[in-house]
Amino acid sequence: MKRRALRDEPLIFERNPGRARRQGFVLPPLDVPAVDPASVIPAELLRHDEPGCPDVGEMEVVQHFHRLSQLNYAVDEGLYPLGSCTMKYNPRLNEQTARFPGLASIHPLQPPEQVQGALRLIWELERALLAITGMAGVTLQPAAGAHGELAGILMIRRALAARGDARSVVLVPDSAHGTNPATAAFAGYEAVEVPSAEDGTVDLEALDRLMTDRVAAVMLTVPNTLGVFEHQILEISRLVHDRGGLVYMDGANLNAFVGRALPGRMGADAMHINLHKTFSTPHGGGGPGAGPVVVSETLVPHLPVPRVVRDGESFRVVHDDPASIGPMRGFFGNFLILVRALTYIRSLGADGLREMSSTAVLYANLIRHRLAGAYHLPYRSPSLHEVVLDDSRQAARDIHNVDIAKRLLDHGFHPPTMSFPLIVHGALMIEPAESVPPEEIDAFCDAMLAIAAEAEASPEVVRGAPHDTPVSRVDEVRAARQLKVRWTPEGSS
Ligand SMILES: *Cc1c(COP(=O)(O)O)cnc(C)c1O
């Protein structure tokens, strides 16, 4: 009912159509001498007509944006099962610490002696990530996972160049996230695909064939994007190292094994960690993230600068190092995201973090167990923190993953990731994350089972979904290709 009323929410410019003078803010009286704008602003920059601001009062502004926020779906509203993205709840404590004036109001150009606490925080988060991964060095600079991938591959390129062994190819499994081949190409490498074996993991024989002396690195996601652990990871990294290559691990799925396994023991040379996935902090909608990269001894000399160094009880900053790949970003990256991640790590503690990853795996398996009778499971390998189903059973009735995803909106859930990984046709990739109560997992499974039953009994209902949202299907391709941000009363075209 509430949502139905929201359907008619106009643009803020359309509120107050009579354009009665309303104001949300009153400026204080001018207490400096008035100046003629024409005497200080060049004529071509002077405005001659009114700026066209909406005439609305403060409360109308608040109502408008509050209503729009209610048309959205958020992690604070319910299960957000986007696979690979790890959409977990962001505890409010994180927000409290990130707003401490001593952290939120400092400037990155302040001299180190004035910001010892912030430098210490960076240093401590680095130690925590090294303990969690068993690696030798770390940078917190990159702003996201993909940016971390680039930092890692640039360090690998630098290490190989230092050996006088520049190479030209990066191998990427066919189940990888699109950012992996994009990163390889951006760093100047040719990305070559490695096929998956029957069980969804890397085909070792194919890798053996492809792993020539032209290959700089292999990029591997562990567990992979099917939620399956690369059980031959030790053989893979031995093979790659024996032939002079390096191992890049995509750590976006670290949520599956924090406190259970160490990438440092798996032969990884570089791995990014999406703080905004594994260690809470809000993400989605393009908000700031952080993609620290942990590295093996081989890559430590090439870590980006600036670096925080501990000298006894104080901390200093190293700005120059000829072996470094240089800065990946201004200063220390998205500092307040680092604050949130350390808050999360400290508030859970080692035992809490272990419980976090095991609960995530338990939930994914609960979903797999409940849904495997109604949806096809393309890979039967054991699932870790996410489970990939496909639409092949429903496709016989001309119902596809997009229909199932849209129908979930009517049932009150955000859809899972669709059509990824690319090796699964009609994929529905579900990652529950550990932060929701078990009843929510059950309610999600109930909704998925109800949709499978609807697909049999009344397929047209599923095909026409969503029915209860302000707009039903939109032309997503056209919306992305022909951006139209201005609305006219004649309708959008
Ligand atoms: C999310 C993700 C990335 C990219 O991380 P961003 O922080 O979105 O840049 C890379 N690989 C995998 C497997 C991911 O899930």
Side-chain angles (χ1 to χ4, degrees), residues 3 88 280 292 467:
R3 288 188 173 258
K88 66 170 73 177
S280 70
H467 304 281

PDB file of all heavy atoms in Angstrom, residues 3 88 280 292 467:
ATOM      1  N   ARG A   3       3.950   1.528  -0.785  1.00  0.00           N
ATOM      2  CA  ARG A   3       4.748   1.656  -2.001  1.00  0.00           C
ATOM      3  C   ARG A   3       3.907   2.135  -3.177  1.00  0.00           C
ATOM      4  O   ARG A   3       4.382   2.885  -3.995  1.00  0.00           O
ATOM      5  CB  ARG A   3       5.381   0.324  -2.347  1.00  0.00           C
ATOM      6  CG  ARG A   3       6.478   0.021  -1.385  1.00  0.00           C
ATOM      7  CD  ARG A   3       7.266  -1.171  -1.756  1.00  0.00           C
ATOM      8  NE  ARG A   3       8.378  -1.211  -0.823  1.00  0.00           N
ATOM      9  CZ  ARG A   3       9.589  -0.823  -1.142  1.00  0.00           C
ATOM     10  NH1 ARG A   3       9.866  -0.422  -2.340  1.00  0.00           N
ATOM     11  NH2 ARG A   3      10.547  -0.850  -0.257  1.00  0.00           N
ATOM     12  N   LYS A  88      27.104  -7.511   2.886  1.00  0.00           N
ATOM     13  CA  LYS A  88      26.781  -7.777   4.285  1.00  0.00           C
ATOM     14  C   LYS A  88      26.422  -6.493   5.016  1.00  0.00           C
ATOM     15  O   LYS A  88      26.720  -5.390   4.555  1.00  0.00           O
ATOM     16  CB  LYS A  88      27.912  -8.512   4.980  1.00  0.00           C
ATOM     17  CG  LYS A  88      29.193  -7.724   5.124  1.00  0.00           C
ATOM     18  CD  LYS A  88      30.173  -8.446   6.049  1.00  0.00           C
ATOM     19  CE  LYS A  88      30.809  -9.668   5.425  1.00  0.00           C
ATOM     20  NZ  LYS A  88      31.794 -10.300   6.299  1.00  0.00           N
ATOM     21  N   SER A 280      32.771  -5.767   6.004  1.00  0.00           N
ATOM     22  CA  SER A 280      31.622  -4.842   6.042  1.00  0.00           C
ATOM     23  C   SER A 280      31.980  -3.533   5.339  1.00  0.00           C
ATOM     24  O   SER A 280      32.652  -3.568   4.319  1.00  0.00           O
ATOM     25  CB  SER A 280      31.085  -4.665   7.465  1.00  0.00           C
ATOM     26  OG  SER A 280      31.961  -3.951   8.294  1.00  0.00           O
ATOM     27  N   PRO A 292      42.868  -3.256  -0.509  1.00  0.00           N
ATOM     28  CA  PRO A 292      44.264  -3.509  -0.143  1.00  0.00           C
ATOM     29  C   PRO A 292      44.821  -4.721  -0.880  1.00  0.00           C
ATOM     30  O   PRO A 292      44.065  -5.633  -1.233  1.00  0.00           O
ATOM     31  CB  PRO A 292      44.202  -3.816   1.350  1.00  0.00           C
ATOM     32  CG  PRO A 292      42.954  -3.179   1.836  1.00  0.00           C
ATOM     33  CD  PRO A 292      41.999  -3.229   0.684  1.00  0.00           C
ATOM     34  N   HIS A 467       5.299  -7.184 -10.534  1.00  0.00           N
ATOM     35  CA  HIS A 467       3.955  -6.602 -10.579  1.00  0.00           C
ATOM     36  C   HIS A 467       3.751  -5.546  -9.500  1.00  0.00           C
ATOM     37  O   HIS A 467       2.845  -4.734  -9.598  1.00  0.00           O
ATOM     38  CB  HIS A 467       2.906  -7.713 -10.401  1.00  0.00           C
ATOM     39  CG  HIS A 467       3.046  -8.810 -11.421  1.00  0.00           C
ATOM     40  ND1 HIS A 467       2.582  -8.687 -12.708  1.00  0.00           N
ATOM     41  CD2 HIS A 467       3.645 -10.032 -11.358  1.00  0.00           C
ATOM     42  CE1 HIS A 467       2.868  -9.805 -13.384  1.00  0.00           C
ATOM     43  NE2 HIS A 467       3.513 -10.617 -12.589  1.00  0.00           N
TER      44      HIS A 467
END
